[in-house]
Each structure stands twice: as structure tokens, then as C-alpha cells.
Amino acid sequence: MAEQRNIGLTEIKRVEQYKDRWTSFGANTGIIEISEKLTPAQLRKFEIFQEYDDQFLERISPDISIARWKKTTMLFEEGSYIDIAFFLVNGSVDVYLEKQRAHSSGPIFDSSRTVLSLGTEPLQKGQARGADRTVFQMKSEQEERRGREKGSKEITFLSVMDFDIPSGGVIRLGPGEIFGEIGALSGWPQSVTAKTVSQCDLVQIRVPALRLMRRKSNALKSRIDKVYKERSLLAQLKATPLFRGVSEEFVKALCQKVELVSCDPDEVITKEGEYPDAFYIVRSGFVKLSQRLGEGQVVVSYLSKGSTLGETELLIDGTKGWLYTASSKEYTELVKISREDYQQIVASYPMIEKSLWSSVVARLKEAGYNKRNIGQSEFIDTALNAGLVEGNSILVIDLNVCTRCDDCVRGCADTHGGIPRFVREGDKYENFIITRACIHCQDPVCLVGCPTGAIRRAAVGDVVEIVDSLCIGCQTCAKNCPYDAIVMHPTKELWPDNMIPEGLRGKERMLATKCDLCYSSTAGPACVSSCPHHCAFRVSNIGEFQQLLAKG
Amino acid sequence: MMTKVIRKVAGSRWVQSPNWFWSFVLATLVSVVAYVFNLALSEVDPGNIWGISYGTAASILMAGAGLYAARRRTLKFRGLGKSFSWVQFHVYGGALAFILVLMHTGFRLPAGPMNWLLWILSVWVTLTGLVGIGLQKWIPRILASGLAVEVVYERIPELVQQIKSQTEELIETCSEPVRDFYRKNLAPALVNPQSRFIYYIDITGGIQSRMVEFNYLRRFLSSSEKDALERLEAAYKTKLELDAHYTLQKALRWWLYTHVPPSLVLLLLIIFHLYAVLYY
């Protein structure tokens, strides 16, 4: 194992947090020893790698390290985004809730925000919309709404926690246990804080390797799924509106039967016409629903976190095949319930059937309408590609009114020390341009893997910000962002000669920049307030964009 | 009749903010009532209390309207209100200022070279302002409706160069007839962004007519050559759309030269005029 590096010599304070790509996500650097670029033989010493061949292990080796951690070291904090799963070899780790349970159990997803509304009423002239509100106002409105809707069936608690820990409780993990994998694989923030109890040896597996390992090995997949089912699925299913009122025993039994499905981007989940063998609940990500039209496929709807698929095919008698081809838009996690189990649920709980019938009617109505109106289908496709579904605050510009004066960009640059946080370019839809400004995603994948934690939720509304003083310009966030909303800017500063890691020494420091919604200003986003022609808008969901389109 | 026209204007796309519009209408009405009152009581004279009041109000409004230029350069000061409000004041305040200038002169032609200069500049600035409003309402709409491409004006030369190098790369793989066609018909057009007057009249017509040139050549080509020709066609179409943006966005920028410098001269002359009036 490599010698521990003396990080105390580092000139820049932020670098103290950055030992290497493996240890940087935590606030502490309590590593005693670390080894990476392990040979297949070295990896095979650990039980978790034993079933893989040499070629495969060579391939995943760059994303694996073995670290020895000091005792009472924090591995990760509740709310942090990490791209590593831990396999505990020796020692023990405590996982616990650091913050209030009330905070972490709050609904991170409100499906009503992304429901595509047909025939939405256009905004009245002069009516306030998202663009006119500050993020502080938006936050309080959200909180108010969340409070109001607590218990409403629109809210889904799926995928909130990867440990079901009661308030004040602690779970002690021992050798052979795997943790951190749910948040890492899904891009969710960690729901707990993990701290070493004794000196620990941990195998640290980055997400790309973990995905490959899980895909290749049914045993590992079963193991990860088993852990997930044991630790959190029960609590999540119980909190899902669909299963409200269902007995605990029934949900417990269901937990053991369901299958957890993970999809890569653009993976087909169901194929139109094929036998409908299951019912799905989306845990994370987005699923595109399309139907055959002529020689091609037309997008008719989409599913987001908490949505269900299969109720139409399984409820309507005589439906021989899937009505839709469902494919994942990004990395997507689903709960799969077999046809038999589904039928048992429906037979046992009439209120579930009633709720599903409402969903069937809404889906058929939406899909039918969109298939007959190609423009609407094109709109959904654009919305999925441009982030209108995923985003919390999307900058759109009405090109019918925009004089291309660029005051929006100038205002942004002036507010951010001369560096604009977006360019007035992007996808064009009708008379609007959906700019490549950060859309502040519901599940921001840019946060995953940041080695210093420089990119983070700003704790104000849904704002994702980059802390300049922490950014080391590694480009991880820029590469992760599917919407090209993060831009690397060169600075005139050079990294010092004792910089860790070595690769950066003497090189020019780059800085990742993106929109922060000007959250520190009560005047709202500068792009909107600097627009002299009232043509720049911030929309918080697809419905608001439809309202703008309807207004013309 | 007059009320009907005003209401129609207020509801049209020309009026972005009904509040500002109705405030302008109200302020104009007040000014007209004051002017009628003035006529009933005494003769209109730029030098009496009535005339000086019109002139002072016009000067204040013009100075306020002129501050918009300063506001555009101080966007980092976020507490100074939205740019939209500044523009609305610039437009309506400027229009009201011109009405007050006319009242100041009693709707008569001025006497003396200085007064003539002030009067001509006021008319010029108001007219170019109105032309600017017209251009800003008209050009964005045709750019948005007729073109698939949306582009930042400053990036057009760079994008044209990109298209040029891509097509040059592509043409190396093509047969002689396609190369010949490229050399004669396309290469000259791809050198740099070009302004063409036709885009003002018909933003799509100019492009479509040029794309027809490809049709005849297509008949003689193999399927792989047709693919290359289609890519050339697409690149050329994009270039023509960039030209359309270049032409029309340039108009939106160049118009400012007819409005801003005369406005500055007018403001300076007003200061001189005020000094002269107060001094003498």
C-alpha cells in the first residue's frame, strides 16, 4: 500500500480536503493507507471480486481502490453526493441520522410538478410567474405546498432512504457488508452519515465499475438488491401512496417478491405488442413511452419518479400485449412486480384497483391525445431532451420578442465577476429557445463524483451551486451534466508545485461555472431582470412552459 | 372613436405593458388639458411660465430617458429595478417629452439656428426611436418564424468559417461534377457572412430559390454522391440562414447609431439651451 501523503504542506486550504479521487468527498481525510490500480490477483483476494475473470477485473481496476481508514472518521455525510460504494473488509462502521428525520423524510419528489397538463390555461397578462419570484419566495411556497400536500397521493416517498433508521437510531455494519451503493447508483444524496467505529479496511468501488459488476454478476445483483430490500424497500413501499392502507404483512411479503430493475440510458424496458408480464414503479430516472406510428415510433408520454407502468395492460381484459414501448431516458431504477403478485394485490385491495383505474384513464387519454397530435408528441420529445421534465428552473427566451441584444448574458456576467453563466444558445421549440443555462435538476447528476464537494445544493430552494474556492477544475461535473450547462473557464492562477494530485502541479487552474439562479440576490436571476423586453422567463416545469407557448 | 383606437393599441402586441401605456395616455391627457387651459388664459410662449414648464418637463423626461443607456452599463447593480421598466420609461417618457417640446414651441416652427437645431434633433431622435421600436417588433418575429437556426450575432463569422472548413473537407471526397458545382456555386458564398436585402422582404424566399440549384445536379449522381450533396445542401442552407441572421440582426444593431449619438448631442444642446436661457 502506498505511503500516506503529507497533506499539511499543501498551500491551498481546499486541497487539504483533496487527497486523491477516492477520499476527497468527505470532510475528513482519515485514510491511513490507500492502494489503487490493483491487479486481478490482488482484487480476487476479496470475496466480492472472486467470480470475475482477469480480463473483466483489468477493465474495472482503475475504478477500484482499497483504503485503510482511521477509527472515528466520517466516510460521508447525510445529504452528500458520492459516486462510490463501500465494501467493508475489516472493522465496523456506524450509519446514523445526523439531521432531523423530518428533514430527510420530506418528499424529495412531487409528481404533480411534472405532470403534463392538457389544455392548460394560459397565463394572464401581467400575472406573476416563476421568473418574477426570488428563490426565497419559491422556497417558502414549495415548503408551504409540501406541508399542505402532506399525505396527498401526489407525493411519493420512493427512493428517499437507503437505510430505514428510526430517529436517534444507529446501525452498525460489519465485515462483508456493502453500503453507499444506493445513492451512488441512483445519483441520490446519501440518506445517512457513515463513520468508522474502529480502524477499517474498505474496498471502494466507483459507480462505472459497480454498474459493470452488477450487470455481469447475478449473484452481486441479488446481493445488492437483497440489501436494499432489507434496509429500505419496506419503508419506501409503505410510504408510497399506491400502497397506503395495505397491511404491513402484505407489503413485507411483497418486498421479498419484487425485482429491482436497473436500466442504462435508452434501454428498452417493455416492447409494444409483447406479453405484459409485470407491473413497474419508477424509483428514479425517466422513462419514455412511445407507440408505433407508420414506420417509426411516436413519443406519447413519459414516466418519472413514482409513476407506474403496466396498470393499463393488466387491468383491461383482453389486452394481449404492452401498449407502449418503454425505454429509459437516463440511468433508471424500477421496482418490478410480477403479473401474479399484481393480480393478487388488486384482488385483495379494491382501493388500489380504483386508484389504478384513474391512472389508466389518465394515461390512455394522454397517450391517445399525443398520438393523434404529432406536435404534442414532438413537444414531449423536446421536453425530455432539453430537460424541461427534469429541471426545476429552466431559462427560456421568447424569440418573437427578443431583440438579440444579449443584455441577459451581460447582466449575468456583470453579476458574476465578468464570467457569464450561460450562453444564449440551445434547443429551439416554436418561438422559444431553451437555453443551455443550468436547469437545477431534480436529481442533479453533476453532483455525483465531485472530488471536493464544490458543487452542491445551496440549501435554498432547488439551487445547485459551485463554490469557486473549492473547485479544482477536474471537469467531472461538466462531463456528467447531460445538458452542457457547466462550462470550464481558465483562470490565470497556476496550481502550486506541491499540489495533490500530482497531475495538476504547475498547470493553469480551470474553474467550473454554471448558473446559480443569483440566489444570493433578492432581485432574482439577473438574466430575467436584465432583459429589457420581458422575453426571458424561468419556468419550473413543463406545464409552465406550455402556458407560455399557449400565450404565443 | 379615439378611445376605441387607444384601447385597440393597448391590447395589441405593440404594447408590452398596459400599465405603462395607460400611464402615458393619462400623462399626455393631463398635458393636453394643461395646454388647452394655457391657450384659454394666455398666448403660448416658450418664455412664459407655461412655456418654461413644458420645456422643463420635457428636459427632465429626456434626461430620464437617456439614463437607460447608463443603466445598460451598470447591470451589476441589482437594486436599480428591472431593465424592462427602464425601457418602458425610455419609450413612453421620450414620446411624452417630444409632445411637451411641441407644446413648448406652441406647435410652431422655431426661430433662430440654435432652436432649429434643437427642434430638428428632437424630431430626429423621436422618429428614429419609433423606427427602432418598429424594427424591434418586426425583425425578431420574422427571425423566429422563418428560420430553423438561432444564433448569437457575434458568433456568425466563426460559424461561417466552421461551415466552410467542413464543406471543404467534404468536397475532397466528391467527384469532379460536384467539386465543380461547389467551386462555381457554393464556395464564393461560404467565404464570409453576407448581407442581402432580400431577407428584409422575404426571409425564406431567398433561401429556397438558391436551394433549387442543387436539384439538377442531383439527377446525375450515384447514391453515395447524393448523400454528400445533401450534406453540402444542408451546410449551404445553414449558411444562408446565418446570412439572414447577419443581415437582420445587423439592422437591429446599426439602427442604434442613428438614435444614440443624436440623442447625446440633443442632451448636450439642451444643457446649453438651459444655460443660455438662465444666463440671459
Side-chain angles (χ1 to χ4, degrees), chain A residues 458-471:
Chain A
V460 178
D462 298 308
V463 177
V464 176
E465 67 163 350
I466 295 175
V467 182
D468 289 355
S469 59
L470 289 177
C471 178

Side-chain angles (χ1 to χ4, degrees), chain B residues 252-273:
Chain B
L252 284 170
R253 280 161 175 74
W254 281 69
W255 153 78
L256 286 170
Y257 291 110
T258 68
H259 183 69
V260 179
S263 306
L264 286 173
V265 175
L266 177 62
L267 285 173
L268 288 173
L269 287 179
I270 286 170
I271 294 169
F272 184 72
H273 179 65

Side-chain angles (χ1 to χ4, degrees), chain A residues 125-126 131-132 398-408 410-412 414-415 423-426 428 430-433 436 518 521-535 552, chain B residues 10-13 15-16 18 68 71-76 78-79 81-85 87-88 136-137 139-155 159 245 249 252-253:
Chain A
K125 233 176 186 176
D132 299 315
D398 185 351
L399 295 174
N400 271 347
V401 184
C402 174
T403 61
R404 280 75 170 172
C405 67
D406 250 1
D407 275 4
C408 49
R410 201 172 296 120
C412 177
D414 286 356
T415 313
V423 282
R424 196 170 42 78
E425 287 177 346
K428 196 176 165 191
E430 291 190 3
N431 54 307
F432 282 88
I433 188 165
R436 282 195 205 107
C518 301
S521 164
T522 50
C527 49
V528 175
S529 64
S530 303
C531 173
H533 302 288
H534 210 292
C535 59
Chain B
S12 75
R13 68 182 170 88
V15 173
Q16 274 192 293
Y68 171 59
R71 174 61 185 142
R72 282 193 76 190
R73 279 151 191 83
T74 52
L75 290 172
K76 68 175 166 186
R78 307 294 311 283
K82 290 182 179 178
S83 292
F84 178 71
S85 305
V87 165
Q88 295 300 304
Q136 290 186 347
K137 296 284 175 192
I139 290 179
R141 205 159 268 269
I142 55 171
L143 282 174
S145 61
L147 303 174
V149 167
E150 178 55 36
V151 66
V152 177
Y153 179 75
E154 286 73 17
R155 286 199 65 205
L159 292 171
H245 270 284
Q249 288 198 41
L252 284 170
R253 280 161 175 74

Side-chain angles (χ1 to χ4, degrees), chain A residues 475-509:
Chain A
Q475 302 186 33
T476 306
C477 55
K479 284 175 186 163
N480 278 350
C481 175
Y483 305 107
D484 292 333
I486 301 178
V487 177
M488 303 306 298
H489 280 280
T491 63
K492 287 174 183 168
E493 194 183 331
L494 294 182
W495 288 112
D497 289 341
N498 55 357
M499 174 64 186
I500 299 169
E502 291 173 15
L504 290 178
R505 290 177 187 175
K507 288 192 176 162
E508 186 179 13
R509 184 185 166 208

Side-chain angles (χ1 to χ4, degrees), chain B residues 38-276:
Chain B
N38 172 195
L39 281 179
L41 292 176
S42 64
E43 197 184 336
V44 178
D45 179 358
N48 69 17
I49 186 72
W50 291 96
I52 289 171
S53 303
Y54 302 138
T56 308
S59 304
I60 292 168
L61 283 172
M62 279 184 189
L67 281 176
Y68 171 59
R71 174 61 185 142
R72 282 193 76 190
R73 279 151 191 83
T74 52
L75 290 172
K76 68 175 166 186
F77 299 113
R78 307 294 311 283
L80 298 176
K82 290 182 179 178
S83 292
F84 178 71
S85 305
W86 283 80
V87 165
Q88 295 300 304
F89 183 80
H90 179 83
V91 170
Y92 291 115
L96 184 59
F98 182 65
I99 293 168
L100 288 166
V101 165
L102 295 179
M103 290 176 177
H104 178 63
T105 59
F107 290 90
R108 287 188 296 261
L109 290 176
M114 179 66 180
N115 291 346
W116 262 108
L117 196 55
L118 278 168
W119 192 84
I120 288 169
L121 276 172
S122 300
V123 171
W124 176 261
V125 168
T126 308
L127 282 179
T128 53
L130 289 172
V131 168
I133 292 171
L135 286 175
Q136 290 186 347
K137 296 284 175 192
W138 173 56
I139 290 179
R141 205 159 268 269
I142 55 171
L143 282 174
S145 61
L147 303 174
V149 167
E150 178 55 36
V151 66
V152 177
Y153 179 75
E154 286 73 17
R155 286 199 65 205
I156 293 174
E158 175 199 334
L159 292 171
V160 168
Q161 283 312 306
Q162 268 181 30
I163 291 174
K164 187 172 172 262
S165 41
Q166 279 166 8
T167 51
E168 277 170 358
E169 223 170 84
L170 179 66
I171 208 69
E172 290 301 313
T173 63
C174 296
S175 63
E176 193 47 39
V178 181
R179 286 185 191 196
D180 190 49
F181 174 78
Y182 175 79
R183 273 193 299 270
K184 286 178 184 161
N185 299 59
L186 306 188
L190 295 176
V191 175
N192 48 32
Q194 292 167 346
S195 291
R196 276 202 292 271
F197 184 74
I198 190 166
Y199 293 126
Y200 288 103
I201 301 162
D202 181 359
I203 198 157
T204 51
I207 295 172
Q208 291 305 323
S209 63
R210 282 168 178 254
M211 303 316 291
V212 174
E213 295 167 359
F214 287 80
N215 294 343
Y216 187 71
L217 179 66
R218 192 175 284 113
R219 292 187 208 172
F220 313 107
L221 301 179
S222 66
S223 58
S224 63
E225 290 263 283
K226 276 180 189 166
D227 284 348
L229 191 73
E230 268 171 26
R231 284 163 65 190
L232 270 182
E233 197 175 355
Y236 184 51
K237 191 176 177 209
T238 306
K239 161 65 173 60
L240 293 177
E241 292 207 350
L242 290 178
D243 282 347
H245 270 284
Y246 185 70
T247 308
L248 295 172
Q249 288 198 41
K250 193 158 76 176
L252 284 170
R253 280 161 175 74
W254 281 69
W255 153 78
L256 286 170
Y257 291 110
T258 68
H259 183 69
V260 179
S263 306
L264 286 173
V265 175
L266 177 62
L267 285 173
L268 288 173
L269 287 179
I270 286 170
I271 294 169
F272 184 72
H273 179 65
L274 283 171
Y275 173 75

